[in-house]
Amino acid sequence: MIAVGGPGAAEARWRAAHAAVAEPDGEVPHAMTAVAEEVRRALERRSARWRALHHLVGLVGLVGLVGPPR
């Protein structure tokens, strides 16, 4: 076992993190890396902030006053 702060610890943590992220790929119908990329592209089109604001404005009946992000 590699000590948390010992030689090779950073490499061991990186491998463990990579394995943990890759593991669900065999359990779900879509690769997690593909899903993450699709989410990144969606947020490039409209930010999470814009989306939340749009929903908040909709709750108070001002939907037509909020246009697409600039």
Side-chain angles (χ1 to χ4, degrees):
M1 179 169 204
I2 299 173
V4 174
E11 178 68 21
R13 286 190 305 268
W14 175 256
R15 287 176 189 250
H18 187 273
V21 169
E23 191 174 292
D25 281 353
E27 299 175 31
V28 296
H30 306 288
M32 295 296 282
T33 52
V35 172
E37 180 60 23
E38 291 297 322
V39 169
R40 185 193 65 75
R41 279 188 248 169
L43 291 174
E44 274 185 352
R45 290 188 296 272
R46 286 186 303 269
S47 71
R49 180 181 182 273
W50 183 88
R51 292 166 190 266
L53 178 62
H54 184 75
H55 286 282
L56 286 172
V57 168
L59 290 174
V60 294
L62 304 173
V63 173
L65 299 179
V66 177
R70 296 183 206 174

